[in-house]
Amino acid sequence: MTMASSHTSELPPGKDIKGKLSRDDLMMRGGMIIIALYLVITLAFPLFSMLSKSFSTYRFELSQYEFQVSDEAGVFDGTVLTGAALNAQTEAYADSDLSTGADGRLGVTAFFPEFSFRSPVMYQIRNVVEDGRFLVGSTLYDDTTWQTLDSNTFRRVQLRPTKSTGVDNFVSYFSTPALFNSIKNSLWIAVLSTVVTVSLAFWFAYALNRSCMRFKGFFRLIAMAPILVPSLLPGIALVYLFGNQGMIKELLFGASIYGPIGIVIGSVFFTFPHAFIIISAALAISDARLYEAATSLRATPWRTFWTVTVPGVRYGLISAAFVVFNLVITDFGLPKVIGGQFNVLAVDIYKQVIGQQNFEMGAVVSVVLVVPAILAFAIDRMVQSKQVALLSARSVPYQPTPNAVADRGFLIYCSLVALFIVGMLAVCQFAALVKFWPYDLSLSLNNYQFDKMDGGGWASYFNSIKLALLTAICGTSVVFFGAYLVEKSNGFGAGRAVFQMFAMLPMAIPGMVLGLAYIFFFNNPDNPLNAIYGTMTILVICTVTHFYTVSHLTAMTSLKQMDREFEAVSASLKQPTLKLFARVTVPVSLPTVLDISIYLFVNAMTTVSAVVFLYSPKTTLASIAVLNMDDAGDIAPAAAMGMMIFYTNAAARIIHLIASRGILRRTQAWRTR
């Protein structure tokens, strides 16, 4: 017996046995790779193109060009001078003038002080190196042969810059006071708006969750209204309220609404719902036993607030603060409408690209804007990872007790906040109906005649609806299926981790930056996907990618609640994974699927920054029409289009609510058993 045991223990270890991948496992991994590839193409590659562009510098290398000048008889004496030598003699261009963008052009007649296009003098020019380039009119010459030109033609010669790589763009940016000042302005506005918004949203959420005040449902509905409008709309409302001809401009005591005051007020308006949702969710989870213990220890309400309530919601407050900060510092629409001469980073990108056609500097500003956005996102994720469960199986849900004085105070406070929100929307609707503010206050629908104004007409509105529907359908399908593959796949830990990283990245990338990155990547003629540039397809792809992270997290949260036993039972019955997905997973998760779809629809209707660089004359959108009409001075029609977006989103929410009840009644009956 002993010998047998000894013999057994001396057997060499066998090989590790790895389970054979099933067809379903291979299919799920293949699907995950395909969606990850989609994120790489629509996110990683464009961002890399933008980063490369920011380090691309262009400069006129005058030593790469040679010139000869004839006498008035047209005879050349053989004297050859480089552009650098001529510039040294004439000092026609300073060194700073030689740094330019990719489309830069430099005239050469300045090198010849006595030049006259009527002169019989002839000129010759050539490239010294093979990669030199110059234009004669619209004809490009990139060889080293001499070109002989008369004076009238020579004045049309323009040198083209040489591309190199370096940090000159960043040096130029940080050495330009006006541009560098935008960083300070953006951070200051974002921090101030964050403090004000989170403070207001906290007490609003506290009133709805920790008091017995009346009309809670109504106030909750009003608090969510700003989500349904583009960020430009509060700027328009503020112009009508506090502008040069505003209704109540005296309340500013001579201060101007065009600048930081307007940006902060507008930012509080459109970020309030985001902060409210997060803080309200944190306040809704609390253990009544902690408050009972505080009462037993005779702690005052104020002490209980600071020792029990605030610590319990600190992670929610921090998360809300970083979300608001990110939204404000990356917003483009509001500062564009109400910012005046107060420059911020997002508007600088627009000015560099659209105003000056300086794409390299636009890329530099985008890189600068990404840094605080990514830092805020990373800190938020780190804080959330430290959050611990506040409710256990023994917890007792907190129930507020009536307090007449406090409830009345909270009702007054919530009424004031609701008045602020409703008032902004009412002002926009009033402006949309007035014939000619402030001279003719009679009501009319003239401002809704969008076809007679800049912005794309009614076609822009219907394009937005088309974009929203396609984004909701395609985006929900891709996002939910991708989340399912990540959550329910067996093994493949490294692949799932990489997919999760790419899925989280869009939240940290401002829409303005993503849109500019798409220009560099998809507008490249060498890119096989160049055909989609300027079409509705690229708008859908950009919008889905921009709002991918929140939708993905929502789907993951829902799928985590489904036990993996569903997959085990399906495998034991030899049923394919796709059948389980269609027959079980989707019906059970249908509430989440509908929530993702309406989230994508609403954001597609209101988005401005992500698509402002990507639309074409045939794909103008309602939110872009608001921007263009405001730029053209048609502020009332811009308000009208903004309200059309609001009513469309409100109608979509109502339809979503009605449809959800009918669909869920049939598919979620198991929940009531």
Side-chain angles (χ1 to χ4, degrees), residues 238-568:
L238 290 172
V239 170
Y240 275 92
L241 286 171
F242 303 104
N244 295 331
Q245 296 177 324
M247 305 176 190
I248 50 176
K249 64 178 181 179
E250 293 79 11
L251 294 182
L252 289 181
F253 301 102
S256 175
I257 195 67
Y258 300 99
I261 297 176
I263 298 175
V264 170
I265 296 175
S267 297
V268 171
F269 176 84
F270 85 86
T271 60
F272 183 85
H274 302 274
F276 167 72
I277 292 172
I278 298 171
I279 298 173
S280 183
L283 285 168
I285 301 175
S286 58
D287 191 345
R289 296 177 302 168
L290 297 175
Y291 291 89
E292 292 173 358
T295 303
S296 300
L297 294 172
R298 297 182 180 180
T300 62
W302 190 243
R303 184 175 179 82
T304 302
F305 173 80
W306 284 107
T307 57
V308 179
T309 303
V310 173
V313 299
R314 65 183 182 277
Y315 293 109
L317 289 171
I318 295 172
S319 184
F322 282 116
V323 167
V324 172
F325 179 89
N326 234 336
L327 288 171
V328 175
I329 201 170
T330 60
D331 181 57
F332 157 74
L334 180 63
K336 181 68 174 63
V337 171
I338 199 75
Q341 301 301 314
F342 190 81
N343 290 332
V344 294
L345 287 170
V347 177
D348 274 352
I349 297 174
Y350 183 80
K351 289 179 178 178
Q352 292 294 329
V353 174
I354 301 299
Q356 302 181 27
Q357 296 291 299
N358 192 341
F359 290 91
E360 290 76 24
M361 192 57 71
V364 169
V365 183
S366 296
V367 172
V368 174
L369 180 58
V370 164
V371 173
I374 289 182
L375 283 176
F377 173 76
I379 296 173
D380 178 42
R381 301 305 301 176
M382 182 177 65
V383 169
Q384 288 188 24
S385 67
K386 296 181 179 181
Q387 187 171 1
V388 295
L390 297 177
L391 288 181
S392 64
R394 298 179 181 179
S395 297
V396 178
Y398 177 80
Q399 294 293 335
T401 56
N403 184 319
V405 176
D407 292 345
R408 191 179 299 111
F410 282 129
L411 180 61
I412 294 172
Y413 173 77
C414 290
S415 298
L416 292 174
V417 174
L419 180 64
F420 166 68
I421 295 173
V422 173
M424 296 279 274
L425 295 174
V427 167
C428 284
Q429 183 57 75
F430 177 70
L433 293 174
V434 169
K435 277 189 177 181
F436 187 52
W437 173 265
Y439 306 105
D440 187 352
L441 301 183
S442 59
L443 302 184
S444 169
L445 295 177
N446 290 342
N447 293 322
Y448 287 88
Q449 296 178 0
F450 301 127
D451 291 330
K452 297 181 179 180
M453 302 154 190
D454 292 332
W458 278 102
S460 300
Y461 172 71
F462 293 113
N463 281 342
S464 277
I465 294 179
K466 181 179 179 181
L467 171 65
L469 289 172
L470 289 173
T471 300
I473 295 170
C474 300
T476 303
S477 303
V478 171
V479 171
F480 188 79
F481 189 58
Y484 174 78
L485 295 175
V486 172
E487 179 60 26
K488 301 301 182 181
S489 292
N490 296 317
F492 201 42
R496 291 160 66 187
V498 171
F499 185 99
Q500 190 75 353
M501 179 189 70
F502 279 114
M504 299 303 293
L505 187 58
M507 181 175 278
I509 305 301
M512 202 80 174
V513 174
L514 187 64
L516 184 58
Y518 272 41
I519 293 180
F520 299 139
F521 182 68
F522 289 102
N523 198 30
N524 186 347
D526 297 329
N527 188 339
L529 297 174
N530 174 257
I532 70 171
Y533 189 79
T535 66
M536 182 62 71
T537 302
I538 196 171
L539 296 179
V540 173
I541 290 173
C542 182
T543 307
V544 170
T545 305
H546 185 207
F547 299 108
Y548 192 98
T549 302
V550 173
S551 304
H552 175 78
L553 291 174
T554 304
M556 289 287 289
T557 302
S558 174
L559 290 167
K560 285 180 182 294
Q561 296 174 357
M562 294 184 62
D563 201 302
R564 280 184 171 266
E565 288 186 7
F566 286 102
E567 282 71 27

Side-chain angles (χ1 to χ4, degrees), residues 156-194:
R156 300 171 61 201
V157 173
Q158 292 180 315
L159 306 183
R160 299 286 281 121
T162 301
K163 180 181 177 181
S164 60
T165 302
V167 296
D168 291 353
N169 292 329
F170 288 90
V171 173
S172 176
Y173 175 81
F174 287 106
S175 61
T176 305
L179 292 176
F180 183 68
N181 197 47
S182 297
I183 300 176
K184 182 184 71 175
N185 291 345
S186 293
L187 291 174
W188 163 243
I189 289 295
V191 170
L192 182 59
S193 299
T194 298

Side-chain angles (χ1 to χ4, degrees), residues 30-46:
M32 195 187 310
I33 291 173
I34 290 173
I35 298 179
L37 187 61
Y38 161 83
L39 289 173
V40 169
I41 294 174
T42 61
L43 187 65
F45 285 174

Side-chain angles (χ1 to χ4, degrees), residues 16-22 25 29:
D16 293 335
I17 300 176
K18 295 182 179 180
K20 185 178 179 181
L21 293 175
S22 66
D25 289 334
R29 294 187 182 188

Side-chain angles (χ1 to χ4, degrees), residues 72-116:
E72 293 189 356
V75 178
F76 294 93
D77 61 5
T79 302
V80 178
L81 291 173
T82 65
L86 288 169
N87 192 52
Q89 294 176 7
T90 61
E91 298 182 350
Y93 297 105
D95 186 70
S96 58
D97 297 330
L98 302 181
S99 296
T100 183
D103 294 325
R105 289 167 171 78
L106 190 74
V108 297
T109 57
F111 296 144
F112 306 95
E114 298 180 358
F115 173 82
S116 171

